[in-house]
Amino acid sequence: MLGMLGGGALAAHAYSNSQQAIPNSAYGPTLWRNETTEVLFPETVGEPPNYTHGAADKEVAQWSRMGISEDTSCSKGLSGETKQTAERLGCEAVLRATYVDLTGEMVATVAITVLPEGTAGQEMGEYFDDQEYADVPDAAVVPFAVPGTLAAKWQENRRNGMGGTALGGDQLPYAVAVTTGAVNGRTSGNLPGDFGSYGADDEDRKPWMDAGNALSESFFTHLRNLER
């Protein structure tokens, strides 16, 4: 009887430990190789309202995955100044997937950039901060079109905004960049009259930038959870 109780207590203790979110610093840098692409890029993703939800929980879904690219090269996954910055910092791989928001109107390609451990992530984060306030932000990610889906016609000339978040450091040496656009191909442009007095298409681009930043933050949360 005591043996059975002892075993039950041990099992309960193990279960309790399994519920604790303990960061695994050794696993973080390698999770991009060890997790499946379906785990790295979940079927749905959204920003959880609190710690009881993960970014991949369907209860918080804001975006649905259309497809995952098989190409992981840095030169083909990123574009413009974003590519130049990532390659200068030692980009090792770029993993991409395309999502469409739940309204079916906005499309986005998410790129998880694998960087060397150390300060590369911090520098990439500073670059993203600068882009958020740039007059003409970089397009950042090369769109990944997915035939037979709402993202079938997603291409470079349809990009309207970008966003990015860098995790950095030795535990999670990754940066997440996002490029957003309209499913129907509508591009951002100059706003008419007084609406455009704040600069060329600045306010028209803002919703696309906000969406890109929010989606990158969701993936920040998701990768943090995978580390544990």
Side-chain angles (χ1 to χ4, degrees):
M1 182 64 174
L2 288 175
M4 292 177 63
L5 289 173
L10 181 62
H13 178 70
Y15 178 80
S16 175
N17 284 343
S18 73
Q19 305 306 300
Q20 298 179 26
I22 303 174
N24 185 345
S25 60
Y27 184 63
T30 66
L31 70 82
W32 72 279
R33 292 183 182 276
N34 293 309
E35 299 287 351
T36 65
T37 54
E38 288 79 10
V39 170
L40 287 172
F41 295 107
E43 184 178 353
T44 64
V45 67
E47 188 63 27
N50 51 55
Y51 70 91
T52 63
H53 292 285
D57 291 352
K58 293 187 183 300
E59 292 89 344
V60 301
Q62 296 168 322
W63 298 82
S64 295
R65 189 187 67 214
M66 299 289 105
I68 302 173
S69 173
E70 295 182 359
D71 192 327
T72 61
S73 67
C74 299
S75 61
K76 294 182 180 179
L78 302 176
S79 67
E81 190 177 351
T82 302
K83 179 177 75 171
Q84 295 171 9
T85 303
E87 290 182 335
R88 175 178 61 81
L89 294 173
C91 176
E92 297 180 19
V94 172
L95 316 176
R96 286 180 300 155
T98 292
Y99 287 78
V100 169
D101 78 338
L102 296 188
T103 69
E105 297 179 357
M106 187 176 291
V107 60
T109 294
V110 179
I112 299 174
T113 300
V114 184
L115 298 167
E117 298 176 37
T119 63
Q122 178 182 346
E123 293 185 51
M124 200 73 192
E126 293 171 354
Y127 163 78
F128 287 142
D129 289 342
D130 291 340
Q131 287 299 307
E132 187 173 354
Y133 300 101
D135 290 337
V136 182
D138 189 48
V141 181
V142 176
F144 173 61
V146 186
T149 72
L150 290 171
K153 297 182 179 180
W154 180 216
Q155 55 193 16
E156 293 188 34
N157 63 5
R158 293 188 172 195
R159 294 182 289 189
N160 287 334
M162 62 87 73
T165 302
L167 285 73
D170 294 333
Q171 294 186 13
L172 282 175
Y174 306 105
V176 180
V178 177
T179 289
T180 57
V183 167
N184 65 8
R186 183 181 75 82
T187 57
S188 60
N190 294 329
L191 293 173
D194 291 341
F195 292 105
S197 62
Y198 300 102
D201 81 346
D202 177 58
E203 291 303 305
D204 192 28
R205 187 185 292 114
K206 190 176 187 303
W208 308 100
M209 298 290 289
D210 289 346
N213 280 313
L215 185 53
S216 71
E217 290 288 345
S218 294
F219 269 89
F220 173 94
T221 301
H222 178 57
L223 291 176
R224 280 288 188 200
N225 288 339
L226 290 181
E227 177 198 16
R228 294 167 178 169

